[in-house]
Amino acid sequence: MIPFNKPVYVGNELEYIEEAVSNKKICGDGTFTKKCHTWLEKRFNAQKVLLTTSGTAALDMALLLCGLEPGDEVILPSYTFSSTATAPLLTGARLVFVDIRPDTMNIDEKIIEAAVTPRTKAIIAVHYAGVSCEMDTIMEIARKYNLKVIEDAAQGVMSTYKGKALGTIGDFGCYSFHETKNYSMGEGGALVINNPEYNERAEILREKGTNRSKFFRGQVDKYTWVDFGDSYLPSELNAAYLWAQLEKADDINNNRLSTWKKYYSSINIIEGIGLPYVPEECMHNAHMFYIKCKDLEERTAFIDFMKQNGILTVFHYIPLHSSPGGRKYGRFYGEDNYTTKESERLARLPMYYEMSDDETDLVINKVKEFYKC
Ligand SMILES: *Cc1c(COP(=O)(O)O)cnc(C)c1O
């Protein structure tokens, strides 16, 4: 059986976890968390990065920091994970879904401006499959209407847009280190803060409403409760696991990219299949390899065929606007030309670190067999 995903494991994870245990420091913000923060800030040229307990928690923090009020509107794609939509709800904001582009499956930047109302306060750009949204256009609209931009870069760690790391372009970036993502700590994530004005508020929010972070840096001589807060910092055990992977980030990225390229060049020649599109200004991280079948019926047959041959391929999001939560909290602006249609065609192929040539060959051969090629 070829699984759809395997959690990435590079070899030093257990050693670092043992080190955290023997340091007698397993709560948050210890040595491993600091190593991860510094690495992420340096590598992505980010002003400030804070590890969180999940990608969802990073989104929650970002939306809370935006200072939204009940009745404010947030523009987002409908083709995304529930976390993108639940974060704005924390502040009582309403969701305005817009259609995606069929080529990248990202929010259609050309529709956003028409969806802006006097109540609009933020745009969430989801970088699907680690391929960037059209960020110049999105940032221009945001400046024009004074909107915050949150990048849901949960799938986009190590990807770039015009040379800039995803997550560092908007006001906030949100990464996920869930077991299904390219770099993992089991459950975890990170918030990228691109405007230093939010640094202090973010630290307080993350540390139960206290100024403990300032205290640890010796900037205040005792710490106290100062504002609204929650607990978003992960344990050192998880950070130790992640650190092993960040040390090997280039290996992991290159390894995934070579599997992706092999898929692409072999499947590209099959007629009647749609393939991912990566705009020239984007460098992606091979988070995902998907194909597009003719329609829902063909996709169902494809997934069944692959499963009978021991290969797990999976569809992805059910559009949020047609789900019970989406109907309750949001509305769809304009026409759904592509969100439903394209989501019904998409099937993801197995993709993980150190996928063997035998495994990729088997998947490719079975795809060819299904398409009688
Ligand atoms: C994985 C993912 C999330 C949530 O991340 P968690 O770490 O699982 O909470 C949010 N948005 C997108 C687009 C994701 O792929």
Side-chain angles (χ1 to χ4, degrees), residues 104-177:
T104 57
M105 303 298 283
N106 284 333
I107 192 166
D108 187 341
E109 69 279 357
K110 291 190 286 311
I111 307 177
I112 296 174
E113 185 163 8
V116 172
T117 75
R119 308 222 64 163
T120 308
K121 292 288 154 60
I123 302 167
I124 309 182
V126 181
H127 304 302
Y128 187 68
V131 176
S132 181
C133 297
E134 212 320 275
M135 289 311 290
D136 279 354
T137 309
I138 292 174
M139 296 310 291
E140 209 173 290
I141 298 166
R143 271 191 290 273
K144 185 166 168 189
Y145 296 96
N146 195 24
L147 311 176
K148 297 275 181 268
V149 174
I150 299 99
E151 295 180 70
D152 182 339
Q155 303 172 12
V157 180
M158 293 283 276
S159 296
T160 60
Y161 170 81
K162 298 191 175 172
K164 288 186 193 148
L166 298 194
T168 66
I169 304 161
D171 295 274
F172 298 101
C174 305
Y175 295 150
S176 169
F177 300 119

Side-chain angles (χ1 to χ4, degrees), residues 22-35:
S22 59
N23 285 348
K24 306 222 180 324
K25 173 78 182 169
I26 58 170
C27 67
D29 281 346
T31 326
F32 286 104
T33 302
K34 284 190 187 114
K35 281 184 175 181

Side-chain angles (χ1 to χ4, degrees), residues 307-370:
K307 197 169 178 184
Q308 279 158 22
N309 285 285
I311 299 165
L312 275 183
T313 59
V314 286
F315 57 83
H316 214 178
Y317 311 126
I318 310 286
L320 294 183
H321 74 281
S322 44
S323 64
R327 282 201 295 268
K328 191 164 166 188
Y329 294 109
R331 63 183 167 85
F332 196 94
Y333 170 82
E335 297 291 314
D336 171 9
N337 288 323
Y338 298 111
T339 301
T340 301
K341 191 172 130 222
E342 297 301 306
S343 70
E344 288 179 346
R345 296 174 59 200
L346 186 142
R348 295 176 290 161
L349 304 187
M351 167 64 84
Y352 40 86
Y353 174 60
E354 288 196 321
M355 191 166 170
S356 72
D357 279 342
D358 286 352
E359 289 171 320
T360 4
D361 286 340
L362 183 63
V363 176
I364 290 163
N365 288 336
K366 290 298 163 189
V367 174
K368 285 183 173 165
E369 202 177 311
F370 180 81

